[in-house]
Amino acid sequence: MKYNFNEIEAKWQKYWAENQTFKADNISDKPKYYVLDMFPYPSGAGLHVGHPLGYIASDIYARYKRHQGYNVLHPQGYDSFGLPAEQYAIQTGQHPAITTAENIKTYRRQLDQIGFSFDWSREVRTSDPSYYKWTQWIFIQLFNSWYNNESDKAEDISELISIFETEGNATVNAICDENIEPFSAEEWNSFSSKKQQQILLQYRLTYLAETEVNWCPALGTVLANDEIVNGVSERGGHPVIRKKMTQWSMRISAYAERLLQGLETIDWTDSLKESQRNWIGKSVGAQVEFRVQSSKFSVSVFTTRPDTIFGVSFMTLAPEHELVSKITTPDQKAEVDAYIEATAKRSERDRVADVKNITGAFTGAYAEHPFTKKPIPIWIGDYVLAGYGTGAVMSVPCGDQRDYDFAKHFNIPIHNIFDGVDISEKAFADKEKTVIANSDFLNGMNYKKATKRAIYELEQIGQGEGKTNYRLRDAVFSRQRYWGEPFPVYYVNGMPQMIDVEHLPIELPEVRNYLPTETGEPPLGNATVWAWDTEKNEVVSNDLIDDKTVFPLELNTMPGWAGSSQYFNRYMDPNNEDAIFSKDAMDYWQQVDLYIGGSEHATGHLLYSRFWQKFMFDKGYVNHDEFAKKLINQGMILGTSAFVYRVFPHWNKKITSSKTESGLISESVFYVSQSIFELFSDRREYYKKIVKDLYPILKSKLLSLYSKHLNNQLDESDIINHSDSYITFTVDKIHADVSYVNSSDELDIEGFKNWRPEFKNAEFLTKENETFKVHREVEKMSKSKYNVVNPDNICEQYGADSLRLYEMFLGPLEQYKPWNTAGITGVHSFLKKLWKLYFDDNGLKVTDATPTKDNLKTLHKTIKKVQEDIENFSFNTSVSTFMIAANELTAQKCTSKEILKPLLVLVSPYAPHIAEELWSQLEHNESISTVPFPEFDESHLVESTKNYPISFNGKMRFTMELPLDLSKKDIEKAVMANEKTKEQLQGREPKKVIIVPGKIVNIVG
RNA sequence: GCUCAAGUGGCGGAAUUGGUAGACGCGCUGGAUUCAAAAUCCAGUUUCUUCGGAAGUGUGGGUUCGAUUCCCACCUUGAGUACCA
């Protein structure tokens, strides 16, 4: 019987689906284990070979855990709200729900053909109303909560109201650190309802506020900080500007410290924890008040170096700082205004790009030093960011390089307050390496002591206190888009009201088109049925809006991360219509045991999910305040892009000695191979060299270009010698679809010409006697880079088991690695070899023969290694181990059922189809998926002799077979008696002989 | 600039607590089988070599009987982050 993988794989995929083999029960005597993948966004391009990498790894682990007797939850679903479907809708008018459903169908087919052990009965889709009902529910819970810093957890807003009613906000303000006017209980009770709502909004965990946001004009929406990369949007690379808008925000900053501390309790990768720590950006220091001389104002600054307070020689405010206009003196006003205007004009990106340029302006005002009472000039400068700390710094040039540069640039005096340190060239920032001097009561103290003392003294005079600052900003939660969760919110007198939970979900309305409205409102502004009737409790037509019972609904939708921040908990009880999940389900599954996904979500999804989980924990809905115990980042599989070089010829004609006319010869653009391109690469000798080197190859091309466009009678020397009329070239590279390129980098020119119309009649030039070779580069796999490799062809040609094995065999899971199909034949022939252990031309050849010692040794060696590998997520090495086992058992001509049966269980997590098929051929009626994992028996590996490596000065020179029970003395005797030892020593006496029994012998000579 | 990760044959990679560097696979070379091809099987494949051996894991030092593994300095590559006070 032949290994007919297509047939076998289809058969078992059907079996698993029909028998619901991988359906996880919420009630079980078995211990539970929850293996989770990051669910995919179903893009129109379908799955490429990079997507399944993490899924294969988690599937191997999930299957292994089933063999170990666990009740395994291994769900899958779709993060199906998002931009691409919406942009497609804008272009074509097709409803995003239709596009999304189609894409999901493709994804499902592709996932099924790889043979994952997902429990599809638990599938979730974030764009499904029955799912986003619960996203809306969480939003309402957040709205109805505030963060009590005293109990350090989220609490119901009703408790805050009762505090206000009985004692006003004096105590709460102190803890909450909000800039809210204090009020008494009497005042609170006398406030209008609207005023009360406005105040409460400033305490809620999700709140509506006028905030400066990242606005992306091209996408017509705001973006979160983690959606911006290098000053442009992550999706599409469009510019981003700062803009003030009223937006929903999430008070993640309240959880900054707990998000930081929680990292200590979870088994996530260090690099991921490090990025989250950087993102949270905790700094410990002090807040200090500087009174502004002859005014009622004071400047409040945050510093991590209160120990350097006597080194302050000026202060710097961000240009946007609210005090700037209030303290600037009349004679400095013009200069300050001009500076503010100039910085406002520059985009965030320009400012960041232009770090070296020092700019600023003097306000004319002076602050007073809290201790010396000396005047300190107040400047403004754009190196101080309005968004961090207080937007103002006390500038200590001797200890901070930026302050130092600013001081030097504007000739501000620099005081040295460090003992025995030279600051004539640059600032001295190494705080551990000196002690404080010239600083009154801080003299002689080290950094730590001085910091403590400075804070104490500031507190004594009421001008400062110890303070911790976080870089983490509250997360903007509104998006001006259609394809996202609608908010369960309507507005009465401009104040947001929550719709009762019992009326959820509020479903996305139909719209005429998916673009913003003419008045600049979000796409939901196009909906005609989008108002809330508070009497009927349903969505009604906008025409019915009146001031009594029908009110406008929120027009923004939620961001992409809303749907993914609790999906892992929903999987525990996905079809529950009465609650996000039942308490029983949560009590059983607890939390994710293993989460596998990409590191690109480090500061987005993974931080937001931890935030929501902590909130859910505070409210008592979940049992753990971290949702995933262990997390592994799989590396990305990269594509190997192919490029051809496109050459643009330009004609040039010298008119006078200083004037040359030139232009593109657009119809003569041509394409060249890698080897010709290399001739272009020396840019210093551009014109002459290129034409000279290319001339032999492009002779006819050049001559025709000349005669055509310069209308000149030229001979060859004119061209080569670069006379008054000449040709120059510019070159760029364009992606070629990798399907037109073979493994030797050769381009199929005919196929390529048919790819796009502009190549149809184009010229493709390469050196004589050479094939046309493309340029290769490793990049992220993406449709736009034409380097996508589709798993479908591989499944068809080699089978899913080969694909699974090969993706694991490529290298360590966490590593980034380029895809290269070349090696897949290796794992495929292993599977064929494995099959041949069970079948030959005459059929099944497995017997009841008693296994030999060698058979047992091979099997148990394999059990040990594979088990260790799976537990260490070292899947690449267990594929090698399987190959070794198959090679050895083939050589041993093993047919013993006692060996071949357990071998199948070992292989089953990696190559489940072939394992199931052979298992059933061995007369089993049940799936192999829950058969116990074989027990490792050490006794089969015990040896009586050891082939000792004999080294001289640490270099292995030969080996000697010796009994393992030999004493050290006898080993030495045997080794010294050996001929080869004498040869190595050449008569010298060994200085020392090191013997590690069972390991090595080392002779030092 | 800062932080993190990684540098091993022609290639992907292995060596888990310091103990035979290059497992396993790809590719390549030779052979068997075949009319031929595919497939399969066998042998070889780090480099140099006077065929005895010798050198060798980015570079230079160090610790050790012994270092791919530990320590120091440097170089290169990749990723993240960036005026964070």
Side-chain angles (χ1 to χ4, degrees), chain A residues 182-303:
Chain A
F183 51 79
S184 67
E186 293 76 44
E187 282 172 313
W188 169 262
N189 293 325
S190 68
F191 287 153
S192 69
S193 162
K194 181 162 179 172
K195 175 102 195 234
Q196 288 183 343
Q197 287 183 50
Q198 278 167 340
I199 291 166
L200 286 174
L201 209 44
Q202 294 176 277
Y203 291 88
R204 296 177 190 273
L205 281 182
T206 183
Y207 59 98
L208 204 53
E210 167 114 321
T211 38
E212 193 164 88
V213 296
N214 306 300
W215 175 255
C216 179
L219 293 173
T221 191
V222 302
L223 298 170
N225 287 338
D226 64 280
E227 291 168 313
I228 300 165
V229 179
N230 295 330
V232 297
S233 68
E234 187 188 19
R235 279 194 184 275
H238 305 293
V240 174
I241 58 166
R242 307 284 297 173
K243 188 177 171 181
K244 281 218 161 184
M245 281 178 83
T246 300
Q247 299 280 299
W248 285 102
S249 286
M250 287 279 166
R251 206 176 297 281
I252 189 172
S253 59
Y255 283 88
E257 186 62 32
R258 282 169 67 190
L259 287 167
L260 195 62
Q261 295 306 323
L263 291 172
E264 307 298 330
T265 68
I266 47 181
D267 183 10
W268 290 19
T269 59
D270 288 337
S271 68
L272 201 145
K273 288 186 187 179
E274 198 55 34
S275 352
Q276 291 211 345
R277 280 190 201 109
N278 287 339
W279 196 262
I280 295 167
K282 179 178 183 174
S283 27
V284 180
Q287 185 150 330
V288 186
E289 304 295 327
F290 286 78
R291 290 201 189 95
V292 180
Q293 284 187 335
S294 51
S295 86
K296 59 178 177 172
F297 302 111
S298 76
V299 179
S300 159
V301 303
F302 174 73
T303 177

Side-chain angles (χ1 to χ4, degrees), chain A residues 135-144 197 201 204 206-208 247-248 250 477-478 485-492 494-501 503-507 524 530-534 538-539 551-558:
Chain A
T135 312
Q136 293 173 338
W137 174 85
I138 297 169
F139 178 83
I140 296 171
Q141 307 308 304
L142 285 156
F143 183 83
N144 289 330
Q197 287 183 50
L201 209 44
R204 296 177 190 273
T206 183
Y207 59 98
L208 204 53
Q247 299 280 299
W248 285 102
M250 287 279 166
F477 199 66
S478 298
E485 296 88 350
F487 285 82
V489 172
Y490 62 94
Y491 289 88
V492 178
M495 295 310 295
Q497 313 294 322
M498 294 297 119
I499 290 169
D500 276 351
V501 169
H503 308 305
L504 300 184
I506 302 303
E507 294 195 29
L524 291 193
W530 197 238
W532 186 250
D533 187 323
T534 54
E538 61 182 34
V539 177
F551 302 97
L553 281 157
E554 168 73 51
L555 298 180
N556 287 294
T557 55
M558 298 186 196

Side-chain angles (χ1 to χ4, degrees), chain A residues 81-153:
Chain A
F81 271 135
L83 244 129
E86 177 158 339
Q87 285 181 328
Y88 188 76
I90 290 167
Q91 285 159 26
T92 63
Q94 189 177 56
H95 197 285
I98 298 171
T99 321
T100 302
E102 278 171 8
N103 293 349
I104 287 179
K105 226 170 134 188
T106 308
Y107 264 64
R108 179 62 191 274
R109 179 185 60 73
Q110 290 185 300
L111 289 169
D112 280 347
Q113 85 185 346
I114 302 172
F116 293 118
S117 64
F118 293 131
D119 176 358
W120 283 108
S121 74
R122 292 173 185 261
E123 178 193 308
V124 300
R125 298 178 185 192
T126 56
S127 61
D128 195 310
S130 68
Y131 178 90
Y132 68 67
K133 171 179 177 176
W134 299 107
T135 312
Q136 293 173 338
W137 174 85
I138 297 169
F139 178 83
I140 296 171
Q141 307 308 304
L142 285 156
F143 183 83
N144 289 330
S145 304
W146 64 294
Y147 201 86
N148 184 339
N149 273 5
E150 203 162 29
S151 61
D152 203 16
K153 61 188 265 228

